[in-house]
Amino acid sequence: MTALPQFEDHSKQEKKYTTCYMCACRCGIEVTVENNQVRFIRGNRAHPVNQGVLCAKGNAGIMKQISPAKLRNPMRRKPGTERGAGVFEEISWDEALDELTARLRNIRETDPKRLAFFTGRDQMQALTGLWAQQFGTINWAAHGGFCSVNMAAAGLYMMGHAFWEFGDPDWDRTKYFMLWGVAEDHASNPIKLGIEKLKRRGGKFVSINPVRTGYQAVADEWVPIKPGTDGALALSMVHVLLSREQFDWDFLVRYTNAPFLVVQTPGERGDGMILRDADGQPLAWDNVNGGFVNGMEPDITPALFGEYVAPDGRPVKPVMQLIAEKYLDSQYAPEHAAKVCGVPAEQIERLALEMAHVAFKETIEIECEWTDWAGRKHDKFVGRPVSMHAMRGISAHSNGFQTCRALHLLQILLGTVDVPGGHRAKAPFPRHVPPPIKPAKHTAPSTPLSSPPLGFPTMPEDLVIDDQGRPLRIDKAYSWEAPIANHGLMHMVITNAVNGDPYPIDTLIFFMANMAWNSTMNTGDIQDMLRAKNDDGGYKIPFLVVVDSFHSETVNFADLVLPDTTYLERFDAISMLDRPISDPDSPCDSIRYPVIEPDRNVRPWQEVLVDLAGRLGFPAFTDDQGQPKYAGYTDFISRWEKAPGIGFLAGWRGEQGEKSMRGEPNPDQWERYRENQCFFQHHLPENQRFYRFANRDYLNWAKEVGFNATAEPILMELYSETLQRFRLAGQGLYDGPMPTDAQDKQRLVDYFDPLPIWYLSLEEAAVSEQEYPFHAVNQRPMHMYHSWDSQNAWLRQITAQNYLYMNRGRAQRMGIADESWVWVESHNGRIRVQVKLMEGCQEDTVWTWNAIGKQSGAWGLSADAPESRRGFLMNHLISELLPPGSGDRRITNSDPVTGQAAWYDLKVKITPATDGAECSWPEFDTIKPLPGQSESPDELRYQTHKAVNLRRSLKDILTRS
Amino acid sequence: MRLGLVIDLDVCVGCHACAVACKQWNSSGTTGPLTDYDPYGADPSGVWFNRIRSFEVGEYPQSKTVNFPMSCMHCETAECVTVCPTGASYKRPEDGIVLVDQDKCMGCNYCAWACPYGARELDQASGTMKKCTLCVDRIYDEVLPEAERQPACVLTCPTRARYFGDLDDPDSAVSTVVRERGGFQSMPELGYNPTNHYLPPRVQPPAQQAENPLVSLQDKLKEWMAKAIAK
């Protein structure tokens, strides 16, 4: 063997651990650092999320770290220049924070809700939400209303956890996996690892998606569905299961409200509510003993079907009877659903029966003693190994909430929730249904909110409205327009603020939210709105603060820019109080620890938030003398307690770091995390890993560690009284707040069905099918994540331009050629884009990658970069408001229940472009470079040490050539 | 030894993790840096050793999308070696890895013409040909833990679609999986005898379906009313 040279000097390198932040997956990474440069990033083998693997984005971290688009210094818009003109001057941190503090103090002391603070794809909502609560403004939310609130809310109001961050398929045991509306992401690496395990075991993977790329490419069966019709497909499968008697009786009786009796008195107050006894307990009819029983008691034998008469004479029916009557109706039969969703009737029926077979004939059992909520012992966990996952393809529609509930109904009928092989909750879930927190309503000068700004309404009394029923929040969340808006409506903030509807604001802070570009609908108009002025010449949004790490399109509009670090340069806490990285068997949390020293005048936003909190005198951040309590972010994270012993990080608590999950603050906590590769994992004992909604030991433990307020069992609500209360309010039959506007009333009646329904999406119903025959949707590619990553020097060599993808046959019938240019038009606007034809695309659908298109000059890219010349945003076609309808008021283009932005409802028409132009339209002005910004290099030769060549010996050449 | 890679097309989702991991490792690797041209400009491109070709087979709605990563196949009959005028291009006798000696290469591109797999690229800045080294600078590095002495692409693959090992050893993981799954070479008819193999997509038998017959709703509801399950 030829002797190999020493290729690199490992003694000059250091391996450090931290958490990736190229997307929201938060994989553990091992970073090899050399001379304060990154030599190599790989997945951490020991980490629970990714177990050593790492995706393309994670592997491209180096190019994010050295991006020429990094912000270098705080800046203010140069006085005398226009907002959006991009003329800035650099200022010091002191100047920036003094100015901001003074302005915020004034707002806080007069009318706190004139501060609107919205965050984008950050993972710091526990901190930013707390900060907003302490400031006293209700005008805070993150990006969930734009992204996936439908999916989160559907799960939390029905089964106690949800898809994505609150639950996972049981990858090690599932035998049948159905993926609905998932782009190539969410979650990134865990799904990839899981799909391989499933396929290796011989399990079946079915993918419901209009496009066959990414995960869909390796599906055993690809079901090309029309966007926005997944609810019809799911409910038709419910029909099939019911009509073949393929549902889990035991599961329904024991763990759901299927047996509870529902009052049937249409037109009267109390109609559709659950019949209760004098103590408020839900009633069921006991089949064996005859008579009404408390439905929460163990060892009853409640009827699932039948019609009964309550003691007070009112007719009642069990929830399950209503379910059977509703979904056995022929409108849900596969023949009808096929016409709606484009999936053949025989396929609908077959998929339902395949799942039923796996659920009931391929049941798995795990031998393990466990105790249920009533104290009864069981000797095994029974698993029905069918699992599902869904994300934005379900969520980003105006019918997404009910659609996602339909999926959960399917799962519950098959008995696959939190069981072996099914879909399992991730700590801190499961939680009680519905969750107990209510959103804050009342603001007062210099006063923190009495509850968090976001919460979970269960009745009209919980709405954040005034006595006249008008919205109190700037985004109108928790108003009659969006009653269960659990994640806010980020996409309405600018429009409402500029229209002064419900009121004008003073300061708008955006953190990591590219609201002037791809994280908004109707981009051109939004940019105009940011520039809009009053008659007196002042901006309608008087002060705009943008916090970001990079030169985004939104930074260009700022009045004040606060530059953040990259993820390799800072501390961070990925907390269970926030969005967890747990897996079903173990609660987990993690940190980031700086591995690179920043080379510019930037500060982590978390540090700045803690600093501002101290300056502004927030009670939770200051002592009795009004002095800042915390030395900085890390001190705050390790010492702040939500409740005694409960803090941001669950690991190494207690004075000696000897306690897990709950314990006194440990001043060395960050170091203990660092010693443990920056993550903490608590392994649940085996008897606490399944049926947790009914598992006594788990429920007791979940209460002890602060996940849940009580150890009561978690009942799944197939039938939602929350929705019924709002529906009654819409019908004028509610003893409490009711809407006065006719449109509001009708929306409650139409959409707040206490059982899942499908309806045509609002935009689709409002525009002509003949004129706009195509559905238009976005996906995120696996190698990019929103606008953050598409500027990456390596990743943009994979994709620097997005196309409009069309079904080849359909395009050819329309005379549209591959790579030709077309006009795509919606009711809101039009764009000119380049087309690519493909087979794997549903015929009535067109799609593109999101966030590839950029505004010229942003992100350190040249003015003629393909991202701006030929790339495009579909967002220009989407309005944040529905087309003008019968009422005077333009209603938000969102799900009527949750306010989720309905951007996948878009309908378009496509015509060949004949002007010969070979660039996309609209074009935007080129953004100016920032002060201090160096020119982006035109060649990169990145290495952290000189390469050591492996020489071929002369002998080898002479003897073997 | 005959070291090489096996790539499982049944689970490759085209995520490009392997391509970027390779780029990253080799930037500071034995033939680094891997130049990027116009990285922030109108026409970004660069030197990559691993590229993913995605294509479709069949017609909608039965079409299949295939993601096909391609890098040097470390062929037994590596004509890229035969044609090299300087002797820079060679196949190591001890493990079969095909390499380019950066000191001897003059960048004539002849090897790139000879390779049917597109494995070789000219680095315009260094004026030399570069390609997959099978991470020769990782696999023998005794400072690394043994589990990490594998190519970067193999370690990173999120769907565990990549295997590395000795195809001369019938008991190795790579040989076993090629045998069990019917692994194949790309374009064997050209006679290069590539060491790298691909595993075809698994073919599933049709799934079984639940068999209860349809019954009338009236009859069923009557029966269901009487059924008693204990909570």
Side-chain angles (χ1 to χ4, degrees), chain A residues 83-113:
Chain A
R83 182 183 286 165
V87 183
F88 292 97
E89 58 190 20
E90 291 185 327
I91 57 177
S92 69
W93 273 103
D94 283 340
E95 229 185 307
L97 294 181
D98 286 346
E99 183 184 341
L100 182 58
T101 303
R103 191 161 195 131
L104 291 178
R105 181 174 290 120
N106 180 271
I107 295 173
R108 188 166 191 258
E109 288 172 357
T110 53
D111 185 7
K113 63 184 192 297

Side-chain angles (χ1 to χ4, degrees), chain A residues 333-356:
Chain A
E335 298 70 52
H336 278 113
K339 293 186 192 131
V340 169
C341 64
V343 179
E346 86 59 46
Q347 194 173 16
I348 297 175
E349 179 137 342
R350 176 171 54 74
L351 290 173
L353 295 178
E354 285 178 5
M355 288 198 287

Side-chain angles (χ1 to χ4, degrees), chain A residues 718-952:
Chain A
L718 300 182
Y719 185 97
S720 169
E721 277 187 301
T722 295
L723 292 176
Q724 181 60 14
R725 285 186 198 103
F726 282 99
R727 176 177 259 190
L728 286 170
Q731 292 170 332
L733 298 173
Y734 186 71
D735 285 324
M738 290 191 282
T740 48
D741 176 276
Q743 277 179 301
D744 287 333
K745 290 182 196 181
Q746 196 59 49
R747 282 157 64 92
L748 294 177
V749 169
D750 290 342
Y751 307 121
F752 281 67
D753 197 314
L755 290 173
I757 52 171
W758 179 82
Y759 49 88
L760 193 63
S761 80
L762 302 187
E763 171 159 338
E764 203 168 343
V767 303
S768 154
E769 166 77 22
Q770 277 70 48
E771 213 192 328
Y772 302 108
F774 284 95
H775 297 271
V777 296
N778 280 273
Q779 298 200 67
R780 184 190 302 127
M782 280 186 189
H783 48 283
M784 305 246 176
Y785 194 69
H786 305 295
S787 36
W788 306 350
D789 291 344
S790 39
Q791 44 130 342
N792 187 296
W794 285 343
L795 299 176
R796 69 186 292 260
Q797 289 179 51
I798 301 170
T799 307
Q801 173 190 353
N802 56 320
Y803 295 86
L804 187 79
Y805 291 91
M806 280 184 83
N807 176 280
R808 177 171 287 116
R810 183 80 187 262
Q812 284 169 348
R813 291 196 294 277
M814 291 171 66
I816 293 176
D818 197 17
E819 299 198 8
S820 63
W821 291 83
V822 297
W823 286 101
V824 185
E825 206 170 323
S826 73
H827 79 87
N828 188 54
R830 61 185 201 138
I831 57 179
R832 182 179 62 220
V833 305
Q834 195 173 18
V835 153
K836 263 246 170 97
L837 304 184
M838 63 184 291
E839 295 297 327
C841 178
Q842 199 273 331
E843 287 181 313
D844 307 300
T845 303
V846 295
W847 66 276
T848 191
W849 300 120
N850 77 0
I852 306 287
K854 293 192 156 5
Q855 183 165 355
S856 171
W859 300 96
L861 301 178
S862 67
D864 59 352
E867 286 89 343
S868 53
R869 279 262 149 281
R870 297 194 302 280
F872 66 93
L873 286 185
M874 204 178 260
N875 305 44
H876 303 308
L877 298 176
I878 310 175
S879 175
E880 74 280 20
L881 299 168
L882 286 171
S886 50
D888 293 319
R889 199 171 109 218
R890 294 248 351 236
I891 297 196
T892 175
N893 179 17
S894 309
D895 190 298
V897 179
T898 62
Q900 153 96 51
W903 39 303
Y904 287 7
D905 282 351
L906 181 64
K907 297 293 308 277
V908 299
K909 64 175 148 185
I910 303 180
T911 45
T914 51
D915 51 21
E918 302 239 323
C919 56
S920 58
W921 190 90
E923 291 162 29
F924 287 71
D925 290 338
T926 300
I927 291 177
K928 297 183 181 57
L930 296 171
Q933 189 176 342
S934 42
E935 279 226 22
S936 301
D938 53 24
E939 187 183 85
L940 270 182
R941 308 201 77 221
Y942 183 87
Q943 64 182 173
T944 58
H945 55 257
K946 195 160 177 304
V948 174
N949 186 30
L950 176 50
R951 288 208 176 84
R952 185 184 187 189

Side-chain angles (χ1 to χ4, degrees), chain A residues 2 10 41 54 196 203 212 217 245 287 299-300 353 376 796-797 840 862 941 945 948-949 951-952 960, chain B residues 24 30 35-36 39-41 46 48 56 63-65 87 91 94 101 103 141 156 159 204 210 220 231:
Chain A
T2 333
H10 293 300
I41 300 174
L54 197 62
E196 191 274 329
R212 190 165 207 178
E245 207 185 333
N287 251 343
D299 301 318
I300 55 175
L353 295 178
R376 298 170 297 203
R796 69 186 292 260
Q797 289 179 51
S862 67
R941 308 201 77 221
H945 55 257
V948 174
N949 186 30
R951 288 208 176 84
R952 185 184 187 189
R960 292 202 303 136
Chain B
Q24 199 207 165
T30 172
T35 306
D36 295 305
Y40 302 104
W48 295 66
E56 295 179 295
S63 62
K64 170 104 174 97
T65 301
K91 185 173 171 75
E94 56 264 66
D101 183 335
D103 287 347
D141 187 343
T156 207
T159 59
Q204 285 255 6
K220 262 297 154 183
K231 178 161 172 150

Side-chain angles (χ1 to χ4, degrees), chain A residues 568-749:
Chain A
L568 294 174
E569 294 168 339
R570 67 166 178 265
F571 293 97
D572 248 322
I574 294 118
S575 164
M576 271 188 273
L577 297 183
D578 206 319
R579 295 153 65 193
I581 55 154
S582 303
D583 68 48
D585 287 337
S586 35
C588 302
D589 62 22
S590 61
I591 63 163
R592 290 191 182 95
Y593 209 97
V595 301
I596 296 284
E597 282 289 313
D599 58 352
R600 55 209 188 286
N601 190 18
V602 294
R603 288 189 193 175
W605 177 232
Q606 302 91 313
E607 293 285 359
V608 176
L609 279 176
V610 172
D611 182 359
L612 287 171
R615 291 173 187 230
L616 290 167
F618 292 177
F621 289 80
T622 47
D623 60 26
D624 304 326
Q625 275 78 55
Q627 291 307 301
K629 254 201 298 214
Y630 301 108
Y633 174 69
T634 52
D635 188 32
F636 163 72
I637 289 291
S638 53
R639 286 205 289 130
W640 180 85
E641 289 176 279
K642 179 181 178 182
I646 310 281
F648 273 88
L649 295 171
W652 301 284
R653 300 192 71 82
E655 276 164 40
Q656 306 303 317
E658 75 284 10
K659 297 185 184 171
S660 288
M661 303 304 300
R662 189 162 199 161
E664 302 76 26
N666 171 7
D668 280 330
Q669 193 180 39
W670 285 89
E671 278 313 298
R672 300 301 295 270
Y673 270 81
R674 191 166 72 94
E675 288 159 15
N676 286 276
Q677 300 182 356
C678 290
F679 69 91
F680 163 72
Q681 184 175 18
H682 171 87
H683 299 275
L684 291 172
E686 221 196 329
N687 71 335
Q688 289 182 26
R689 293 185 182 185
F690 302 99
Y691 288 84
R692 283 167 287 194
F693 44 83
N695 184 320
R696 169 178 283 192
D697 294 301
Y698 178 81
L699 290 166
N700 285 337
W701 177 83
K703 178 181 175 210
E704 264 169 48
V705 299
F707 289 165
N708 295 327
T710 74
E712 292 301 302
I714 296 166
L715 188 78
M716 294 185 207
E717 294 194 355
L718 300 182
Y719 185 97
S720 169
E721 277 187 301
T722 295
L723 292 176
Q724 181 60 14
R725 285 186 198 103
F726 282 99
R727 176 177 259 190
L728 286 170
Q731 292 170 332
L733 298 173
Y734 186 71
D735 285 324
M738 290 191 282
T740 48
D741 176 276
Q743 277 179 301
D744 287 333
K745 290 182 196 181
Q746 196 59 49
R747 282 157 64 92
L748 294 177
V749 169

Side-chain angles (χ1 to χ4, degrees), chain A residues 232-253:
Chain A
L233 173 59
L235 293 175
S236 190
M237 292 201 268
V238 168
H239 174 103
V240 172
L241 294 180
L242 290 171
S243 62
R244 305 283 189 141
E245 207 185 333
Q246 295 286 328
F247 49 91
D248 191 335
W249 286 81
D250 291 351
F251 198 95
L252 290 168
V253 165

Side-chain angles (χ1 to χ4, degrees), chain B residues 14-26:
Chain B
C15 73
H16 282 78
C18 56
V20 183
C22 167
K23 177 89 164 141
Q24 199 207 165
W25 176 257
N26 286 293

